[in-house]
Amino acid sequence: MPNAALLLLASSQTRRHPILSKCTTGEDRNRSMLSRSIVPAPKCALSLQQALELSNLYLENAYRTTDHDIALVLCHDAEVALSQAKSANKKVATHPGDTEYQTLRGGVAAAYIDLGKLLESQGYQDAAQAICKKAEKWGGNSHDRGRLAQTVGSGNGVEPLKGVSDLVGGSRGKGSAQPLSLEQHKQSQAIAVIPAHIFAENVRPPTVEFKFPEADERLSSTPQLASCLSLLQLSLSTSGTLEPDAQKWIRTTEKDVDEQERLYTMATEVIRVFKRDEIQDAKSVAEVVCLAPALNRDAFHDLLRGFYSGIDHSGLLNFHQVEGLAQLVRGANPGHLSADDLVKILDLLSTRLRDTHQQSTQHMHQLTLAVSHVLDAMADTKVTDLDRETLHEPLTIYLEELKNSPDPYLVYQAAYAYQALLCVPDNETTWQAAMRRTGKVIQGVSGLAGAIKGFNLNMFIDGLSDIQQGLAGASTVFGLVQTAYDGATSLAEGGKGFFDCLKEGLSFERKRDWYSALRGADVMIQAGELATFRKLACEAPCRLDPAFQWGVCQRLGEIAVNSLWHSDIRQNAVEFLGEIYQDDVVWGQQASIKQWILNILAQLASAGPGLKSAELLLQELETSGDDKKKALYRSFKENGPISYPLKATLPELASPSLLDRVQNRPDVESNLRLLRRQRIKERSTIVYIPPQAKTSLQSADDSRFPLMEKVKESIESDRKVFLLLGDSGAGKSTFSRELEFEMWQLYKAKTGRIPLHINLPAIDKPEHDMIAKQLRRNEFTEPQIREMKHHRKFILICDGYDECQQTHNLYTSNRLNLPGEWDAQMIISCRSEYLGSDYRDRFQPGDRNQQSDSSMYQEAVMTPFSLDQVQDYIHQYVSIHQPLWQEEDYKQALELIPGLKDLVRNPFLMTLSLDVLPRMVDPGQHLSTARVTRVGLYDHFVEQWIERGKKRLGEKDLTPQARAAFERLSDEGFTLNAVEYLKTLAVAIYKEQGGQPIVEYSSLIDKKSWKAEFFSQEDNQLLREACPLTRNGNQHRFIHQSLLEYGLARAVFDPLDRTNRAGSEVALDRRKSMDSTMSFEFQNTFKNESDTSEQEPNLESPLVWRSFVNEHSLLQFLEERVQQEPLFKQQLFTYLEHSKKDKKWRTAAANAITILVRAGEQFIETDLKGIQIPGADLSYGVFDSVQLQDADLRKVNLQGIWLRQTDLSKAQMSGAQFGEMPFLTEVDIVLSCTYSPDGKSLAVGLENGSVLVYTISDWEKIQTLNGHNEGIWRVVYSPYGKQIASAGQDGTVRLWNVESWECEHVLMGHDGWVICAAYSPQGDQVASASGDMTIRLWNAVTGKCLQTLRGHNGAVICVAYSSKGNQAVSCSEDSTIRFWDTSTGICSRVLSGHTDRVWSVAYSPQDDQIASASDDTTVRLWDVEEGTCRHVLIGHRHNHIVSGVTFSPSGDQLASCGYDKTVRLWNISATASRPVSFGHTKEVCGVKCSPNGDLVVSGSSDRTIRFWNLSTGAHHRTLTGHDDGVFSVTFSPRGDRIASGSADGSVRLWEVETGVFIRELTGHNDMVNDVVYSPQRNQIASASDDNTARIWNITTGECEHVLEGHSEWVLGVAFSPNGDQIATSSKDNTIRIWDAETGECYQILKGHTNWVRDIVYARQGQQLASAGYDCTIRIWDVQAGECCSILIGHSDKVACVAFSSQGHLLASGSWDKTVRLWHVATEQCRAEIRNFEGPVGCVAWDISSDAGHLITGCGDGSVLMWQITEEGDLCRVRLIWNAASGKLGMSGSSIQDVRGLSHINTQLLRQRGAIGEPENLLREASKKVMTMASVVSKLKTSDCTEMEVPSVIDPLRRAGRTQTFPIPALTRIEHLNTR
């Protein structure tokens, strides 16, 4: 077994001594030589001769040195020596005539003269003069040059004066002026000789026989741990002296980071256990201290703090801690202890030392020992300037007092501590600093650490001489009493007692070389340099010093008692003690040492059988020596040994030891490593594409960021919860696994936190103790779990919050981060559609009764794959799985298969697609003809999975029973049986365990439960293995949650149930599978089946017994089935019918109508009277002219629903949700509004200068405040609701008392309008912003202006504080929003998005959002942290400024006000239950139908172009690219392209099929109002506000003609049917006809009295219709240039006209919110469609057929298609579909006698157009037929006022009701209103 471990342990201790290099330069060598010639000036009186010689010696060296400071010290010592000549002179004054005496006096005078000259040369003139006067007293002449100076100055050498050598070498007698005796001189000069075999050579230091541990192996003891850690501190390059086993262990462990971490963690845990112990006994202290040399700095300081705190705070001092602290300091590695650490420790120990004066001497000894070790370390680290008054001097005095102690051990330790203290200079004396600069002390100490390699003993002993000699001459500088070397008075000479001898031998008054010698001895012994130690003990100059001998004997005793040393070494130590005791000639006769040796031997004799030699030696010593030595021995025997135990290297460990207690907690790290390896292994085959995310559900997809980076930032911050949202299949689980993988990679290296992935559905009741439950699943034991709970930190990655159907806040219910609970951060994933309003309460730390800190919470929403990510996924997938298709095949499929690109943006659908696409596409089939849907992908995937499972089972070695079952299943149809198994299992999971996806099955426990049917029977076990299920222990689940939902959806409706399943399984090949046929070819098979509505529905259907309204992924499968399977749609309608009769069907009916609405089914003229659909989701559905009388609509989601002219009378509507609030209508423009702090009131400021206060619950007016002379720009409550501040156009701010409603202060000082006022968060200040470009701060109590801030270059419109006051936000006329740091005044962010100036900004209460209101009529919600726009709120009427915005105190509502005289409340916490395409968000300005009749295109002020399916109204595509509103769109004659004209002044051409932008036509200088293709030529014409029209060549993009002639804006343009003419209409009230080929105008049509907004040619081209802002439509004879007829009926501006395909009908849209249908020949209005909620700005007919389809575009953003049917003179008008904007529409709906409708919702519905009873809006044309003459007559008496117009009765009636056609809208068309 190698003996290297403790060698390293010992050698690490030697590194604590700093190795200082000795002087090497010539000057340094000279300085060293000169210093060695300096001898101590004795305290006793010298003879005159001796004083003279000594002073001359000092002066000689002073002349020789070049060091100014040393010279000053030597001059001082020379003066001291001469001063002693005065005493000698008094003794010989009786012989004044003696020649020798006179010679000596002359020499003294010369010496004084020399000293004066020397001081003069050093610049000390005054001192030199004083010395010269002394020279004169001795008979000298100051003008004479001294003898010594002459000698030195001449360069001649000086022979040492007689007697100096004796003085240097041996003048050490106490109080004697006589030379030493011959015997003493011989002892002082001789080298001690001991037997050669004692410590004959250097050896390895002692080691413990430790087995090197394998990775994760338990350790046997703490010293073994310390040994291993010490080895780890060595690299292989420095471990050449180690044995091969040690080198191998180091080599292996260096590569195993986990093992290294385990060892270091174990050491940390030992420290932690020790610190937690209330009782820290000697054993535990010794155990933990042995780790000290092997600890890193942090762990060492942790342990050091524990000892320090224990000593500092204990009432009764624990001396074990004191001893431990001493050993800790002694064993510290270099750099672990700073000077500050040591000073603080010394201060603590010094204080306790003084406070422990009355304690036992043993305790005093321990404290003094600790002080000694600290002082040792302070000397090593060169601590200087110790505070003299508070620390140095009190400790010095106290240690001096201890020399009078009767305890010799205490006296010795006090002397040792004092010597150490002398090496730590205080901060007082200048002479001290000069002495330290000589370097002698440091030079001497520097030799202490040279014992490891290349130790030079001679250099070390020289260093001891440096200390001895260098300090001697400076002793008086320190103010200490000088003494000669005090050899002990021998027993033979005086027989003095033990204590007297010890005290005589110890000096408390000067630095002694024995201290440094003993320090060196410690280093040598620790390094195994025993031969060197022997030489030091025998040859050191101080070897006869009793303190040195005492220390040597103590160290010999410690070697002997240490069982780790070899027995021979221990024997040598005992023999060495015997030599010192017995050889009085060599070692002296010091009684103190003799008795100390006897005490040591007695302890060794009692230590055990290993030291028999000590016992034998004691017996021998009893009879050795003379009588006095024998008497000494007898005294020892009578009094007994003094019990001060010798220090052993190996501590005695407690049972159990600290390490045992650590390891008794099962090895957590081993289990964690196993878990880590398992997770890393599982990750190896996963295709992973780093996902992108956005900040919230409302944020735009283009504001994306890398999700992983964001999550890691959150983990490194103080946030506690990160919510990860995403659609089904968005990749949340994959990301969670990848995050866990990356966190494992970083585990401990950076974070030290344990990543724990928790599949929430797999945990029983995760709302309680979910971490422990997961750890148990990972096979951690209870002790391990307790350990991790109390001592570890976690990163919880919780996946599937929605799957476990949670509603609890898992963070709070698991009590995370509370005292004594789990320390964890949580990343939790959930489907976006699972959450409703206020979902943050389920995740945010805190509870519902307290305002949560948003800084602790963050969320992100995963966005679909980009095309680049799709390409990367394909590449990885092909590389890993090597499918049938190559990468290029998949890319081609993406380009050619319709809709596939959109599908594969979902990661899970991407996986399914890549797996099944080769199977779905037949060989030779053109990809463009393939049809792929989501449900179709699942059909194929499941079928393919089952077929692979079947093949695998067929190849498997089955038991005979299993083989028979397999063959039976195959005969019956294995795939069909497997699908049936999948369906029934999915149903059982939902029915039996509420949709919890994981099934735990135990064959014993569950043998009689429902689970046995699926997991125990032989047949079902085979089917289970073949289905897409996974098993983990006893847990079974579908491989993806969506497959469970697919199984249930297929159980609801399975097309295979209609097929012939008799006989054997239909052969299913890869290309022609049954599922393929079912999914893609059967959709029209059952069109002609008989109506099954009268048949009893299936009562066992899942739709009957469970509500799936919120199961959005499941509903998605079912809505696709509705679109593909007419039979399924019919079944759903059957449920609706049956719900009218029986309540048992109401759950099924609610599910059914939810599915139908989601599938896009529009209910038009449908009889739904009495249906029972409580809890259904009808959001954004279309219910036009529907009968819902007596319907059960409780808790139905009606957000954004279209309920035009629907009869809701007597319906039950309690709890119905509309997702919005009613608005308040004022008499004047509302400029600002604000909530009260309690959220119960709302204050608004009007343009007339009034402030009005309302209660929010019922809009009751509380108070009207008058005082301002002009409009109120801003009104705001103080934070505590005691004041209201109003800022006015009159340049003042008024502060109103809310209780008295009186004006308390009028704040005046601004030179312009005061646009804004804001309270500071504390409410003590008011900030006002003005048009004078300043901001003023006011005292809210006194009204005094505190400060005026200048810096803005324009009007500051609004400023708002954050709730913490650390941030402010402002808005200005530049359309931007700026964030400001209130402490620095720096702008931190600028937000852009509004298209006009921003009037108002407000912080949410949580500071996570701001809202802004703008001239662009929108309200925007912004994410404060990300600076991104979360949502755009549209609702205020078009072209009406939104002037104010404010949050409710809870932050869930937002109030906005504007120039439309309304205050609107927005429920910003409510989210749509499903993603809905709302269509256009602003007015629709242009619509056209494609020539082939399959598409409708619309353009809007929202800058988008949208395509719609003509038949269904389904959204097809959205084009973006224009920089402003799109005012016109048109198809090319072939329908393959479109052109768009925009307010940005451009015309753009687009490809219809792909949506690709082709070309931009530029040339107009203003907005393009209209654009049209030529029907025959390769041309496009455009009309613009630049007063021109242009004709463009489509091929080249060049402008062929500029049509100039109009004097105002050109608003409309039209080609004649043959393309040879162009007509333009203008704001100048004229129409011009142009030659399309030449561009010449050849006709001007006049007649309109206002703008001509639109023109259109009739089909034959002979007539032209125009729409005028004079409220008329005119029909013109183009050839004659005359008006044929005037159609009058609209009550407001006519915006658009369009001829039907046959040309006999004309449709017109108007600002009066109606569309009229005119019969051209008779000039009669055949029908009127009323109650649009906005102006109708565009109409278009489908001219591809005579079907009579009319498209209308409205100011509310809706696009609607109508069926116009002529029946005689009547026109039947029926709504076909509605591509609405998602706004609530209630026009003409009856809410008469509705039950349960709240007051606030009643207000809302009435504002949206609901009425008290059904309204018939179509009137019989035959009763009100107007002739042309009557119309003309009306025009003479009315200027475009509303008139009664004939309308057509709808012949289709249900329940006797006449159909009407009102349409919801809110705003006006922007472009038209600006006219």
Side-chain angles (χ1 to χ4, degrees), residues 1392-1523:
S1392 300
H1394 284 292
T1395 58
D1396 212 329
R1397 60 186 167 189
V1398 186
W1399 280 104
S1400 177
V1401 288
Y1403 269 99
S1404 68
Q1406 293 78 24
D1407 286 348
D1408 59 338
Q1409 296 184 91
I1410 65 163
S1412 58
S1414 170
D1415 265 1
D1416 63 10
T1417 74
T1418 68
V1419 175
R1420 288 178 178 255
L1421 287 176
W1422 307 82
D1423 184 280
V1424 170
E1425 181 176 356
E1426 302 296 333
T1428 57
C1429 181
R1430 285 185 172 183
H1431 203 58
V1432 180
L1433 306 177
I1434 300 173
H1436 286 278
R1437 295 195 180 101
H1438 169 65
N1439 206 36
H1440 289 81
I1441 294 171
V1442 185
S1443 53
V1445 66
T1446 182
F1447 282 93
S1448 67
S1450 61
D1452 58 348
Q1453 286 186 347
L1454 185 72
S1456 62
C1457 57
Y1459 279 26
D1460 59 358
K1461 303 180 183 180
T1462 67
V1463 178
R1464 294 179 180 266
L1465 301 184
W1466 310 85
N1467 186 357
I1468 60 176
S1469 65
T1471 57
S1473 60
R1474 58 189 174 94
V1476 177
S1477 174
F1478 295 161
H1480 290 292
T1481 58
K1482 291 187 178 181
E1483 58 270 19
V1484 179
C1485 303
V1487 292
K1488 285 293 188 293
C1489 293
S1490 64
N1492 55 13
D1494 60 342
L1495 291 175
V1496 174
V1497 65
S1498 58
S1500 168
S1501 290
D1502 64 7
R1503 306 182 183 185
T1504 67
I1505 301 165
R1506 296 177 184 262
F1507 289 92
W1508 314 89
N1509 184 286
L1510 184 76
S1511 302
T1512 65
H1515 177 252
H1516 180 67
R1517 180 179 287 116
T1518 299
L1519 307 181
T1520 58
H1522 281 292
D1523 297 327

Side-chain angles (χ1 to χ4, degrees), residues 1277-1333:
Y1277 273 94
S1278 65
Y1280 301 104
K1282 299 300 178 75
Q1283 278 186 334
I1284 293 177
S1286 56
Q1289 296 177 7
D1290 58 5
T1292 68
V1293 177
R1294 290 178 178 260
L1295 304 183
W1296 308 85
N1297 186 296
V1298 172
E1299 293 183 359
S1300 65
W1301 300 112
E1302 295 180 354
C1303 180
E1304 294 182 328
H1305 299 288
V1306 180
L1307 312 181
M1308 296 185 291
H1310 285 291
D1311 295 331
W1313 289 356
V1314 182
I1315 306 175
C1316 178
Y1319 279 95
S1320 65
Q1322 295 75 26
D1324 56 344
Q1325 287 186 359
V1326 176
S1328 59
S1330 171
D1332 65 5
M1333 297 183 293

Side-chain angles (χ1 to χ4, degrees), residues 295-302 335-338 341:
L295 296 175
N296 58 36
R297 181 180 176 84
D298 291 339
F300 179 87
H301 272 261
D302 187 29
H336 282 13
L337 283 171
S338 66
D341 295 333

Side-chain angles (χ1 to χ4, degrees), residues 1726-1791:
R1726 293 289 180 88
E1728 181 185 29
I1729 309 174
R1730 297 181 60 187
N1731 286 356
F1732 286 87
E1733 299 258 355
V1736 181
C1738 49
V1739 293
W1741 293 85
D1742 174 18
I1743 60 175
S1744 64
S1745 67
D1746 296 330
H1749 292 156
L1750 177 68
I1751 311 297
T1752 60
C1754 183
D1756 66 349
S1758 63
V1759 178
L1760 301 93
M1761 189 174 90
W1762 308 84
Q1763 176 72 55
I1764 310 298
T1765 305
E1766 293 183 90
E1767 299 180 357
D1769 291 338
L1770 302 178
C1771 282
R1772 173 177 175 257
V1773 181
R1774 181 176 183 272
L1775 180 67
I1776 303 300
W1777 53 257
N1778 176 3
S1781 62
K1783 298 172 185 175
L1784 177 64
M1786 295 291 297
S1787 297
S1789 293
S1790 172
I1791 56 173

Side-chain angles (χ1 to χ4, degrees), residues 938-1066:
Y938 278 82
D939 288 336
H940 275 275
F941 176 79
V942 169
E943 177 191 319
Q944 182 169 291
W945 186 286
I946 292 172
E947 288 180 357
R948 291 173 179 170
K950 175 186 176 183
K951 181 179 179 182
R952 186 173 59 254
L953 288 171
E955 297 171 351
K956 188 177 180 181
D957 186 15
L958 300 175
T959 65
Q961 296 84 352
R963 176 61 62 185
F966 176 74
E967 292 176 355
R968 183 172 60 255
L969 290 171
S970 298
D971 292 341
E972 295 173 357
F974 191 90
T975 301
L976 294 176
N977 278 297
V979 170
E980 191 66 26
Y981 174 86
L982 181 146
K983 290 160 46 180
T984 54
L985 177 59
V987 170
I989 289 174
Y990 273 90
K991 196 167 188 177
E992 301 295 340
Q993 52 186 44
Q996 179 74 13
I998 295 180
V999 181
E1000 294 188 4
Y1001 172 72
S1002 169
S1003 59
L1004 295 177
I1005 298 175
D1006 300 312
K1007 60 183 178 181
K1008 293 184 178 180
S1009 72
W1010 65 271
K1011 303 175 186 178
E1013 177 185 353
F1014 298 96
F1015 302 104
S1016 66
Q1017 300 176 11
E1018 193 75 48
D1019 291 9
N1020 285 342
Q1021 286 183 0
L1022 294 174
L1023 294 175
R1024 175 178 56 81
E1025 290 187 38
C1027 283
L1029 301 171
T1030 182
R1031 176 179 178 178
N1032 183 11
N1034 69 333
Q1035 293 189 340
H1036 304 264
R1037 68 169 299 167
F1038 285 85
I1039 62 173
H1040 192 267
Q1041 172 71 13
S1042 62
L1043 283 166
L1044 169 61
E1045 295 158 339
Y1046 165 80
L1048 186 68
R1050 194 156 176 178
V1052 171
F1053 182 84
D1054 187 354
L1056 286 180
D1057 290 342
R1058 308 193 314 272
T1059 63
N1060 182 9
R1061 297 180 56 182
S1064 61
E1065 181 181 10
V1066 179

Side-chain angles (χ1 to χ4, degrees), residues 749-1049:
K750 292 184 179 179
T751 65
R753 290 163 287 188
I754 300 171
L756 185 65
H757 185 277
I758 301 178
N759 184 15
L760 291 175
I763 303 297
D764 181 36
K765 297 181 180 179
E767 61 270 21
H768 300 298
D769 209 18
M770 67 175 176
I771 302 177
K773 293 174 181 177
Q774 179 63 39
L775 291 173
R776 292 186 191 105
R777 289 181 52 80
N778 292 334
E779 300 182 352
F780 286 84
T781 64
E782 293 304 318
Q784 287 176 317
I785 293 172
R786 286 194 298 271
E787 162 66 13
M788 289 187 284
K789 180 175 183 178
H790 294 296
H791 303 294
R792 303 303 296 273
K793 296 181 180 181
F794 283 82
I795 300 172
L796 304 182
I797 305 170
C798 302
D799 188 27
Y801 180 86
D802 55 296
E803 294 180 29
C804 64
Q805 302 178 4
Q806 273 294 316
T807 57
H808 293 87
N809 186 319
L810 297 183
Y811 182 92
T812 55
S813 66
N814 280 274
R815 299 175 56 80
L816 298 183
N817 298 305
L818 294 179
E821 300 294 338
W822 297 94
D823 187 340
Q825 291 174 285
M826 177 186 290
I827 295 91
I828 184 167
S829 69
C830 180
R831 293 189 189 186
S832 306
E833 62 266 24
Y834 181 76
L835 303 176
S837 61
D838 300 326
Y839 67 89
R840 288 187 177 89
D841 289 343
R842 301 192 198 178
F843 304 100
Q844 199 158 304
D847 57 56
R848 295 176 181 267
N849 298 322
Q850 299 176 353
Q851 180 172 310
S852 300
D853 186 356
S854 61
S855 64
M856 306 289 283
Y857 168 85
Q858 189 174 7
E859 69 179 52
V861 182
M862 296 183 72
T863 56
F865 274 168
S866 66
L867 291 180
D868 289 339
Q869 288 176 306
V870 169
Q871 302 289 350
D872 291 342
Y873 192 101
I874 292 173
H875 177 75
Q876 285 193 34
Y877 179 87
V878 172
S879 300
I880 294 174
H881 298 288
Q882 299 181 351
L884 294 174
W885 279 10
Q886 300 301 312
E887 190 171 341
E888 291 302 320
D889 298 327
Y890 286 112
K891 291 181 179 180
Q892 187 178 15
L894 285 178
E895 295 297 327
L896 297 179
I897 296 178
L900 184 59
K901 276 186 180 179
D902 292 332
L903 278 176
V904 300
R905 295 186 67 196
N906 178 286
F908 187 70
L909 291 181
M910 179 75 182
T911 303
L912 298 189
S913 299
L914 299 184
D915 194 22
V916 303
L917 272 176
R919 177 191 183 97
M920 293 177 65
V921 179
D922 292 325
Q925 180 185 6
H926 196 276
L927 293 175
S928 62
T929 64
R931 182 167 176 255
V932 177
T933 62
R934 179 174 182 263
V935 71
L937 287 173
Y938 278 82
D939 288 336
H940 275 275
F941 176 79
V942 169
E943 177 191 319
Q944 182 169 291
W945 186 286
I946 292 172
E947 288 180 357
R948 291 173 179 170
K950 175 186 176 183
K951 181 179 179 182
R952 186 173 59 254
L953 288 171
E955 297 171 351
K956 188 177 180 181
D957 186 15
L958 300 175
T959 65
Q961 296 84 352
R963 176 61 62 185
F966 176 74
E967 292 176 355
R968 183 172 60 255
L969 290 171
S970 298
D971 292 341
E972 295 173 357
F974 191 90
T975 301
L976 294 176
N977 278 297
V979 170
E980 191 66 26
Y981 174 86
L982 181 146
K983 290 160 46 180
T984 54
L985 177 59
V987 170
I989 289 174
Y990 273 90
K991 196 167 188 177
E992 301 295 340
Q993 52 186 44
Q996 179 74 13
I998 295 180
V999 181
E1000 294 188 4
Y1001 172 72
S1002 169
S1003 59
L1004 295 177
I1005 298 175
D1006 300 312
K1007 60 183 178 181
K1008 293 184 178 180
S1009 72
W1010 65 271
K1011 303 175 186 178
E1013 177 185 353
F1014 298 96
F1015 302 104
S1016 66
Q1017 300 176 11
E1018 193 75 48
D1019 291 9
N1020 285 342
Q1021 286 183 0
L1022 294 174
L1023 294 175
R1024 175 178 56 81
E1025 290 187 38
C1027 283
L1029 301 171
T1030 182
R1031 176 179 178 178
N1032 183 11
N1034 69 333
Q1035 293 189 340
H1036 304 264
R1037 68 169 299 167
F1038 285 85
I1039 62 173
H1040 192 267
Q1041 172 71 13
S1042 62
L1043 283 166
L1044 169 61
E1045 295 158 339
Y1046 165 80
L1048 186 68

Side-chain angles (χ1 to χ4, degrees), residues 562-791:
N562 187 353
S563 60
L564 296 180
W565 287 104
H566 191 272
S567 59
D568 292 342
I569 299 297
R570 299 173 70 188
Q571 178 66 32
N572 286 173
V574 172
E575 292 179 20
F576 203 155
L577 285 169
E579 288 295 319
I580 297 175
Y581 185 90
Q582 292 174 317
D583 193 347
D584 292 342
V585 175
V586 174
W587 297 99
Q589 298 175 339
Q590 299 165 11
S592 60
I593 305 304
K594 309 303 180 181
Q595 290 208 14
W596 178 220
I597 292 174
L598 294 176
N599 267 280
I600 293 173
L601 291 174
Q603 290 191 57
L604 294 177
S606 62
L611 290 173
K612 186 68 174 176
S613 59
E615 183 178 354
L616 295 176
L617 179 59
L618 273 176
Q619 295 174 3
E620 180 184 341
L621 296 181
E622 185 174 5
T623 58
S624 67
D626 56 17
D627 291 340
K628 291 188 177 181
K629 186 175 286 188
K630 291 177 181 178
L632 182 66
Y633 189 93
R634 286 194 300 271
S635 175
F636 160 73
K637 291 288 287 185
E638 291 171 0
N639 297 324
I642 302 175
S643 178
Y644 278 92
L646 297 170
K647 184 188 66 171
T649 302
L650 262 186
E652 181 182 358
L653 304 182
S655 181
S657 69
L658 298 175
L659 184 63
D660 288 338
R661 291 161 60 188
V662 169
Q663 295 187 117
N664 279 341
R665 300 181 220 140
D667 187 3
V668 171
E669 290 304 321
S670 296
N671 290 53
L672 290 175
R673 279 191 292 276
L674 291 175
L675 181 61
R676 175 177 179 267
R677 289 166 186 158
Q678 176 185 347
R679 293 292 188 256
I680 292 175
K681 182 179 179 182
E682 291 173 354
R683 193 259 181 200
S684 58
T685 58
I686 295 176
V687 178
Y688 176 74
I689 300 298
Q692 300 282 305
K694 57 183 182 179
T695 55
S696 67
L697 292 167
Q698 294 82 15
S699 299
D701 283 348
D702 56 3
S703 60
R704 306 198 307 172
F705 51 80
L707 178 59
M708 185 64 74
E709 293 180 12
K710 185 64 64 177
V711 172
K712 288 182 178 179
E713 287 177 10
S714 181
I715 290 173
E716 294 303 321
S717 70
D718 294 330
R719 291 187 174 90
K720 299 301 181 183
V721 177
F722 190 102
L723 173 61
L724 176 59
L725 298 172
D727 295 335
S728 174
K732 300 181 294 297
S733 296
T734 302
F735 174 79
S736 296
R737 291 293 187 184
E738 183 67 18
L739 175 62
E740 182 194 27
F741 170 77
E742 295 205 16
M743 290 299 99
W744 275 122
Q745 297 295 95
L746 298 174
Y747 174 61
K748 279 194 175 181
K750 292 184 179 179
T751 65
R753 290 163 287 188
I754 300 171
L756 185 65
H757 185 277
I758 301 178
N759 184 15
L760 291 175
I763 303 297
D764 181 36
K765 297 181 180 179
E767 61 270 21
H768 300 298
D769 209 18
M770 67 175 176
I771 302 177
K773 293 174 181 177
Q774 179 63 39
L775 291 173
R776 292 186 191 105
R777 289 181 52 80
N778 292 334
E779 300 182 352
F780 286 84
T781 64
E782 293 304 318
Q784 287 176 317
I785 293 172
R786 286 194 298 271
E787 162 66 13
M788 289 187 284
K789 180 175 183 178
H790 294 296
H791 303 294

